[in-house]
């Protein structure tokens, strides 16, 4: 009972109050893996963002907040509870990269309990520096700072793994069995620069519409290609026809160029092309959060209807779906590498 599993996700503000949202956004956006500018420029840009954004985001958080707290945290806790039945080697803990419970507080508590081995599970199917790397590096810093003597394994990106894809198809099936005109797979966006820093191959096309020509070496570093690959494998498993589905990227922030096509653009295009009943899935998130519930479920729906659509159905994330719980346990045993 000395091998702990630590589920890691992004984190939420402590409450939807403007002050708590500002504190959270400051910690999040000052992370050099998220806003990748030298400190003085990052401080300046983030301070500018923090003039207006906290009030806007607080309003959005307020609209989706549950009695028990932030949906992302509540749903992650439910997953943690269910994972306890799947993990007999030791405790299952939940840690957040920003806000609470912090990675530091969780690792220190586990060390006090005499835990000797950790499996860290960053819950991001597709790899990005702004999610996966920053979570792993924070754990590495905590281990070094407190001289913790853990043996550490890390769950690897699972964008193409059968357990994840099987759980996605199972969880979406009730919606796919209803009539629909189109399925949009909306992934979280990234500034193109984040990918170009990792993928130097000159021929690599960030506009490609599929992942077929991408080498394994590039695929391992290119978030966008991994998203395309997830979508292609999902569509194949779900028996979808070409043309019945497409991919887009949401949440652009700031003036930089982010990976395309943008979800906002696609919602208008699909409505204009005559799509009336639209399904939207967000496979980059394993738990519903502000990005799915508010950005797609509220604002996206409004936009699609205003453009002529009739219904936008947001397919829930994997959350604590039973097939996801067993799949994640398998992935955390099989798809890991030493830190
Ligand atoms: C430079 C900005 C951002 C990058 C890059 C980015 C990447 C990224 N984020 C997620 C997952 C989540 N992001 C969430 C919220 C969120 N993201 C950004 C900005 C960037 N994300 C902001 C400013 C916010 C806060 C909300 C807002 O003001 O819009 C969340 C939800 C948190 C919650 O409490 O519900 C998740 C999850 C991924 C997967 C990703 C890159 C692949
Ligand atoms: Fe984000
Ligand atoms: Fe967003």
């Amino acid at each position: 009972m000395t091998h702990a599993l630590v589920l890691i996700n992004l984190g939420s503000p402590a409450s939807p109050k403007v002050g708590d949202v500002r504190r959270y956004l400051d910690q999040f956006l000052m992370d050099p893996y998220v806003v990748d500018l030298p400190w003085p420029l990052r401080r300046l840009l983030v301070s500018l963002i923090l003039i207006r954004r906290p009030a806007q985001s607080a309003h959005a958080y307020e609209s989706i907040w549950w009695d028990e707290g932030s949906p992302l945290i509540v749903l992650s806790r439910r997953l943690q509870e269910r994972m306890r039945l799947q993990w007999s080697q030791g405790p299952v803990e939940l840690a957040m990269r920003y806000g609470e419970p912090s990675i530091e507080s969780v690792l220190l508590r586990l060390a006090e309990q005499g835990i000797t081995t950790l499996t860290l599970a960053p819950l991001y199917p597709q790899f990005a520096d702004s999610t996966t790397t920053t979570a792993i590096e924070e754990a590495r810093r905590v281990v070094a700072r407190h001289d913790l003597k853990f043996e550490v394994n890390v769950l690897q990106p699972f964008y193409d793994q059968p357990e994840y894809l099987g759980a996605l198809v199972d969880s979406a099936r009730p919606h796919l069995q209803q009539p629909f005109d189109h399925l949009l797979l909306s992934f979280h966006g990234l500034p193109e620069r984040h990918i170009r820093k990792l993928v130097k191959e000159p021929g690599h096309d960030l506009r490609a519409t599929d992942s077929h020509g991408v080498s394994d070496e590039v695929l391992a570093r290119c978030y966008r290609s991994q998203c395309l690959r997830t979508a292609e494998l999902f569509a194949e498993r779900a028996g979808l026809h070409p043309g019945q589905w497409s991919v887009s990227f949401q949440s652009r922030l700031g003036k930089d160029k982010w990976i395309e096509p943008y979800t906002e653009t696609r919602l208008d295009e699909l409505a204009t092309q005559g799509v009336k009943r639209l399904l939207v899935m967000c496979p980059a998130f394993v738990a519903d959060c502000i990005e799915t519930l508010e950005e797609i479920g509220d604002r996206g729906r409004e936009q699609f209807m205003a453009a002529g659509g009739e219904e936008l159905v947001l397919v829930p994330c994997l959350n604590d779906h039973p097939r996801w719980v067993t799949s994640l346990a398998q992935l955390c045993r099989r798809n890991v590498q030493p830190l």
Side-chain angles (χ1 to χ4, degrees), residues 140-153:
R140 208 193 289 279
R141 265 194 304 273
V142 169
V143 166
R145 188 184 308 139
H146 299 283
D147 197 22
L148 304 178
K149 305 290 182 217
F150 293 126
E151 190 186 311
V152 186
N153 295 318

Side-chain angles (χ1 to χ4, degrees), residues 50 59 147 233 237 256 266 318:
L50 291 182
H59 181 70
D147 197 22
L233 294 171
R237 276 183 178 249
D256 285 344
R266 285 295 289 148
L318 293 167

Side-chain angles (χ1 to χ4, degrees), residues 53 188 250-251 291 295 299:
R53 183 91 189 178
H188 200 292
Q250 66 186 72
S251 296
E291 305 283 312
E295 187 168 343
R299 276 186 293 136

